[in-house]
């Protein structure tokens, strides 16, 4: 779609600053189950923390710039992964192993991958929203190809959902409308879809943040603190319960615990698009 370039750049900058701010807030608590009671940074940082949530997306951007005539595909992104990513953890390590063993396309993320429904792809959603502002269909299609490099199932649908949400946020503000757009392609059986719907329903009924958090954990948490359904639910909970207040929203999401650097970073980027000021 056509968008005023000044407005686009403002929103894009808000997206990336919000990502860095949220990631820096949540990083010290990553992997701790909570709940917490943060109302500001603890400790107060002197600079943003290093964060794979941002690093991998910058790699994608550089790789796409170096291959301007090739369509976005899992195989194209796998080239960048094989050449430049040395992270050995969880789905990242599985991805490197599967590429080395000759798997291609969706088989890279879907083969022998116990971590396939974790947060490693959901954290990479912003680049596709920024490359397709106001076009959630296109952003979601890009995100699907990205996520399939190291995920399957809800690990893919989580990034599709978030990319669609953020792309639509360039031109739409109403939370219910945005969530409907973002959820549209997710299967009925998707745990991410169910977690988001649960948060919407409970917040709509006026339930407390702590009550919704406990309900998410009871229904969706697994033995892995990076499991995607529960963490996406925390991000949406922080957004809806924070009612547009940037700092409060980030603290609410972070205080839920689990994959805190990712939940807060993703929420920060969404809020930065919606209100760059």
């Amino acid at each position: 779609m056509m968008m005023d370039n000044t407005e686009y750049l403002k929103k894009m900058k808000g997206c990336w600053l919000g990502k860095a701010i949220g990631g820096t807030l949540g990083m010290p608590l990553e992997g701790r189950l909570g709940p917490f009671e943060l109302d500001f940074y603890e400790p107060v940082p002197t600079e943003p923390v290093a964060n794979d949530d941002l690093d991998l997306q910058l790699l994608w951007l550089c790789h796409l710039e170096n291959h301007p005539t090739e369509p976005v595909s899992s195989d194209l992104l796998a080239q960048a992964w094989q050449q430049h990513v040395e992270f050995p953890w969880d789905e990242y390590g599985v991805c490197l192993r599967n590429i080395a063993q000759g798997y291609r396309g969706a088989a890279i993320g879907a083969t022998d991958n116990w971590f396939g429904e974790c947060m490693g792809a959901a954290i990479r959603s912003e680049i596709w929203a920024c490359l397709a502002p106001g076009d959630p269909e296109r952003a979601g299609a890009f995100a699907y190809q990205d996520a399939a490099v190291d995920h399957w199932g809800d690990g893919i649908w989580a990034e599709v959902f978030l990319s669609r949400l953020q792309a639509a946020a360039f031109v739409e503000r109403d939370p219910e409308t945005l969530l409907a757009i973002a959820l549209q392609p997710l299967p009925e059986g998707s745990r991410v879809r169910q977690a988001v719907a649960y948060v919407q329903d409970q917040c709509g009924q006026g339930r407390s943040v702590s009550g919704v958090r406990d309900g998410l954990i009871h229904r969706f948490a697994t033995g892995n603190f990076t499991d995607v359904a529960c963490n996406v639910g925390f991000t949406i909970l922080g957004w809806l319960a924070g009612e547009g207040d940037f700092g409060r929203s980030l603290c609410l999401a972070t205080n839920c615990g689990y994959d805190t650097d990712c939940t807060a970073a993703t929420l920060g980027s969404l809020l930065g698009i919606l209100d760059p000021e």
Side-chain angles (χ1 to χ4, degrees):
M1 64 163 293
M2 298 299 294
M3 180 181 296
D4 175 76
N5 194 51
T6 300
E7 185 68 13
Y8 166 68
L9 290 174
K10 184 191 299 183
K11 286 178 174 289
M12 183 178 66
K13 184 177 181 181
C15 172
W16 290 98
L17 286 175
K19 184 86 168 174
I21 291 166
T24 301
L25 176 71
M27 181 69 77
L29 299 175
E30 181 184 15
R32 296 168 61 184
L33 302 187
F36 304 106
E37 296 182 351
L38 286 183
D39 58 8
F40 196 64
Y41 291 107
E42 187 179 311
V44 177
T46 57
E47 60 183 5
V49 297
N51 198 331
D52 55 333
D53 302 32
L54 286 164
D55 295 345
L56 290 169
Q57 296 187 77
L58 295 175
L59 170 60
W60 288 170
L61 182 60
C62 291
H63 196 63
L64 293 176
E65 287 181 329
N66 290 331
H67 297 79
T69 62
E70 296 186 45
V72 175
S73 69
S74 298
D75 287 335
L76 177 65
L77 298 175
Q79 292 175 14
W81 200 287
Q82 188 173 34
Q83 293 167 10
H84 300 291
V85 177
E86 298 180 358
F87 298 147
W89 313 291
D90 297 1
E91 59 265 52
Y92 296 167
V94 171
C95 174
L96 287 171
R97 182 203 65 197
N98 286 350
I99 293 171
Q101 291 181 350
Y103 290 99
R104 296 293 179 265
I108 304 172
T111 302
D112 191 22
N113 187 1
W114 191 82
F115 304 100
E117 294 191 301
C118 293
M119 285 288 287
I123 63 176
R124 305 195 297 260
S125 60
E126 291 81 15
I127 185 66
W128 311 119
C130 288
L131 290 175
D135 190 346
E137 294 289 339
R138 192 178 190 204
F142 288 156
Y144 192 99
Q145 295 297 318
D146 175 8
V149 175
D150 55 342
H151 289 77
W152 50 266
D154 270 313
I156 294 177
W157 289 120
E159 187 178 0
V160 170
F161 165 75
L162 291 170
S163 292
R164 289 176 61 95
L165 180 66
Q166 293 156 343
F170 276 88
V171 295
E172 174 62 59
R173 294 189 58 84
D174 177 65
E176 295 300 316
T177 302
L178 286 169
L179 288 170
I181 292 170
L183 287 170
Q184 189 271 324
L186 273 65
E188 289 296 327
S190 161
R191 292 168 58 244
V192 169
R193 185 186 190 100
Q194 294 167 6
V196 172
Y198 174 77
V199 174
Q200 287 181 275
D201 175 71
Q202 296 296 295
C203 287
Q205 294 185 40
R207 191 175 183 190
S208 68
V209 172
S210 61
V212 181
R213 173 193 177 270
D214 291 347
L216 280 169
I217 292 170
H218 176 73
R219 288 165 173 78
F220 300 104
T222 70
N224 189 321
F225 77 88
T226 71
D227 182 79
V228 75
C230 199
N231 283 292
V232 169
F234 293 152
T235 293
I236 302 304
L237 174 58
W239 178 31
L240 298 183
E243 298 180 328
D245 184 300
F246 181 80
R248 179 169 182 263
S249 297
L250 292 187
C251 287
L252 288 174
T254 302
N255 286 337
C256 289
Y258 288 71
D259 205 355
T260 50
D261 65 319
C262 298
T263 55
T266 297
L267 179 54
S269 67
L270 174 64
L271 295 171
I273 295 169
L274 288 168
D275 187 2
E277 300 303 328

